[in-house]
Amino acid sequence: MRAVVTGGAGFLGSHLCEYLLAKGWDVLALDNFVTGAEANLGHLRTNPHFEFLQQDITKPFDVKGQVDAVMHFASPASPPDYLKFPIETMLVGSIGTWHALELAKARKARYLLSSTSECYGDPEVSPQPESYWGHVNPIGPRGVYDEAKRYAEAMTMAYYRYYGLETRIVRIFNTYGPRMRLNDGRALPNFFYQALTGQPLTIYGSGKQTRSFCYVGDLIEGIYRLLESSEHEPTNIGNPQEITILEFAERIRKLIGTAAPLEFKPLPEDDPKQRCPDISKARRILHWEPKVNLEEGLQITLDYFRGQMPRS
Ligand code: NAD
Ligand code: UDP
């Protein structure tokens, strides 16, 4: 079996490539490095079952050889990244998604879209089940990401209905672990970097907003089970352990053993007030649930980040 992974040099894409190789797949990763890094794949480059092609997937491209699965992970994902690359984000979610779907259709391959909890926007229902249609501001700054992913879901469902393509849609909730960029601007790398360098931890708004953080190893296992299932409707994968951002910062301070203060900054526009996955569906159809708790996951991530810190 051979998979094409778009966004393969990113945080999640690189873990997915590694996981597929370990399961005996051949893997071709595509990436243009807009937010990813060659170093994320460095350890795979000598593996004879792994290939890499530097490619912007919003431009037409061809893939040689057998393709059994197309796993579409290309897209900036951190809010500061998609605010910096708004047009690229919309194009990879629209044209990039279309190209990935066309590749899967041409090769009669299975197709999996990495969608997001951002499809629920600033949700008025919590936890969020897949049946919730969401509360998204299409013209706010986050709209470029949210609407691109909602479009990508609609396009994927159209290929399922119109062409009978075998499609899967995973709605990923906040995920963390090794290979996140220390400077990607998300809460977790920011807090780690700040705590490790003794700078104030920046809390946006009151810090009472919630998120639910899933360890990357758990997420990839859930995604693989979804790929292997026959479920074509969106499926949430995430960790339902909900925590306020203030409490999250506190956990990281404790773990690192720093007395670095907190610094309150304005809440970004349309920042969701709560986010927690309802994973009953994943439990029922995939027999999946997260195994790594926050303490363990944060420790593994800290060990990784320590190795990434610039030497003084
Ligand atoms: P990331 O930024 O680390 O990885 C995305 C990768 O896509 C990068 O390597 C980037 O260079 C590549 N890319 C972007 N545009 C491209 C293009 N036009 N052509 C080729 N490559 C392109 O982000 P991530 O956290 O690994 O996210 C991966 C996917 O998972 C994204 O689609 C994201 O929307 C989704 N997701 C992630 C999370 C999370 O918590 N990490 C949550 C929800 C959804
Ligand atoms: N956040 C914060 N301080 C930071 C970075 C983020 O308080 O330095 C907040 C952000 O406003 C949001 C939450 O932490 O409420 C999670 O942000 P992140 O960028 O990690 O991802 P999101 O879930 O918003 O996509």
Side-chain angles (χ1 to χ4, degrees):
M1 299 288 269
R2 181 164 179 259
V4 172
V5 178
T6 75
F11 163 48
L12 298 184
S14 63
H15 282 278
L16 178 64
C17 291
E18 201 175 277
Y19 185 97
L20 290 167
L21 288 164
K23 285 272 176 196
W25 287 63
D26 284 2
V27 174
L28 168 64
L30 307 179
D31 208 294
N32 67 350
F33 300 128
V34 63
T35 55
E38 218 165 347
N40 287 337
L41 297 173
H43 61 303
L44 303 179
R45 295 300 278 269
T46 52
N47 185 325
H49 298 281
F50 178 76
E51 292 161 273
F52 177 79
L53 182 65
Q54 186 166 345
Q55 174 69 48
D56 177 348
I57 64 150
T58 67
K59 307 275 186 298
F61 61 92
D62 190 24
V63 164
K64 296 196 172 41
Q66 173 191 341
V67 180
D68 301 290
V70 176
M71 305 190 70
H72 180 32
F73 278 67
S75 170
S78 141
D81 282 347
Y82 58 72
L83 297 179
K84 185 171 165 200
F85 299 111
I87 311 299
E88 289 86 344
T89 301
M90 297 222 70
L91 291 179
V92 76
S94 52
I95 297 174
T97 296
W98 178 52
H99 286 159
L101 280 162
E102 278 293 302
L103 174 64
K105 176 163 96 45
R107 304 306 179 83
K108 300 190 173 30
R110 211 169 264 200
Y111 171 88
L112 183 140
L113 170 69
S114 67
S115 186
T116 168
S117 52
E118 281 284 322
C119 286
Y120 302 123
D122 185 6
E124 293 157 308
V125 169
S126 200
Q128 295 85 55
E130 291 86 352
S131 54
Y132 180 51
W133 288 358
H135 180 228
V136 172
N137 176 2
I139 57 164
R142 295 176 89 101
V144 296
Y145 181 67
D146 302 10
E147 294 299 354
K149 289 291 184 178
R150 288 165 68 100
Y151 172 93
E153 287 199 4
M155 187 74 150
T156 299
M157 291 304 293
Y159 269 66
Y160 169 78
R161 293 196 180 100
Y162 191 72
Y163 294 118
L165 190 71
E166 276 227 50
T167 57
R168 312 281 179 266
I169 299 175
V170 55
R171 288 195 183 139
I172 301 170
F173 283 65
N174 296 62
T175 300
Y176 69 97
R179 296 200 208 114
M180 282 186 106
R181 276 173 20 240
L182 252 180
N183 63 351
D184 86 358
R186 288 186 254 206
L188 184 143
N190 272 5
F191 293 165
F192 267 112
Y193 183 77
Q194 291 158 346
L196 285 167
T197 53
Q199 296 176 48
L201 275 66
T202 49
I203 306 288
Y204 301 162
S206 66
K208 297 219 174 83
Q209 69 271 32
T210 67
R211 292 295 185 272
S212 310
F213 294 94
C214 184
Y215 183 67
V216 63
D218 282 334
L219 178 93
I220 300 293
E221 171 69 32
I223 289 175
Y224 188 72
R225 288 193 194 191
L226 180 63
L227 177 75
E228 297 272 274
S229 79
S230 56
E231 178 59 35
H232 65 273
E233 293 210 350
T235 304
N236 289 340
I237 299 283
N239 190 322
Q241 191 188 347
E242 191 176 7
I243 184 170
T244 66
I245 289 302
L246 260 183
E247 206 185 327
F248 190 54
E250 198 47 57
R251 294 268 191 112
I252 292 177
R253 279 207 303 193
K254 251 201 200 142
L255 179 69
I256 293 177
T258 172
L262 302 180
E263 183 184 335
F264 288 85
K265 295 203 161 187
L267 189 69
E269 202 178 330
D270 297 332
D271 196 287
K273 287 182 270 312
Q274 52 185 354
R275 185 181 289 152
C276 179
D278 178 335
I279 59 163
S280 345
K281 180 177 172 186
R283 281 197 171 107
R284 193 178 66 250
I285 67 166
L286 306 177
H287 310 291
W288 174 89
E289 62 181 6
K291 298 263 184 303
V292 179
N293 67 35
L294 197 55
E295 289 65 32
E296 294 169 272
L298 288 180
Q299 184 61 57
I300 302 169
T301 310
L302 171 61
D303 295 344
Y304 171 78
F305 280 151
R306 279 199 205 279
Q308 298 295 304
M309 289 298 287
R311 288 177 208 282
S312 52

